[in-house]
Amino acid sequence: LAKAEYFTGRKLKQRFGGAFLAGLGFVPVERGDAHAGLAALGAARKVLDNGGAFGIYPEGTRSRDGRLYRGHPGVAALALVTGAPVVPVALIGTDKVQPVGKRMPRLVKVTVRFGKPLEFSRYDGLVDSPQIRRAVTDEIIYAILELSDQEYVDRYHKRPDTD
């Protein structure tokens, strides 16, 4: 998933960037639009149902300050409805690639750590339970926390335009 703004620019550089992301299989999402978010999860489900892999930030965005925030339940819903395993991935240092207020990314070390796949078949048939979706989301976030040693913040990450 990638924010829709990456796909809608009018300048040549923006159009090239959007075409590049689309070519890599990124799915645009209008942030703050629940219907667009559900459509993006539908696209993700198609990928998973066809045996593909799908990457998603459980927090909804990359961390702007290097801390790990509460996860949204979309990743849990996908795992529960498709039966796909979830491979937790910790990205460490992305907050330093393009700090808040900087226009150009910097070349800095980013560490990527992969965890053991998590499966949630013990919850088969319970995808409609908000409590189960929250429990699965929290288990995924905890696995990322263990991989990253980040500070955990028990609230949703604020989007940049709401800071």
Side-chain angles (χ1 to χ4, degrees), residues 57-63 67-72 141 156-157:
Y57 282 94
E59 298 170 273
T61 188
R62 73 179 177 97
S63 176
R67 299 185 298 172
L68 182 64
Y69 288 81
R70 189 172 200 215
H72 293 274
I141 289 292
Y156 294 114
H157 194 285

Side-chain angles (χ1 to χ4, degrees), residues 57-139:
Y57 282 94
E59 298 170 273
T61 188
R62 73 179 177 97
S63 176
R64 293 166 52 89
D65 61 12
R67 299 185 298 172
L68 182 64
Y69 288 81
R70 189 172 200 215
H72 293 274
V75 65
L78 282 171
L80 292 168
V81 77
T82 64
V86 175
V87 177
V89 178
L91 300 173
I92 304 158
T94 61
D95 57 307
K96 293 173 181 50
V97 171
Q98 191 167 359
V100 176
K102 299 292 182 185
R103 295 191 68 188
M104 295 297 293
R106 294 192 273 165
L107 292 175
V108 297
K109 180 180 177 181
V110 174
T111 302
V112 181
R113 293 183 185 148
F114 295 88
K116 294 179 181 176
L118 306 172
E119 66 89 23
F120 301 100
S121 61
R122 63 191 179 276
Y123 299 121
D124 281 351
L126 298 174
V127 67
D128 293 327
S129 168
Q131 294 85 2
I132 297 299
R133 289 193 308 270
R134 172 53 42 205
V136 168
T137 302
D138 290 346
E139 186 175 333

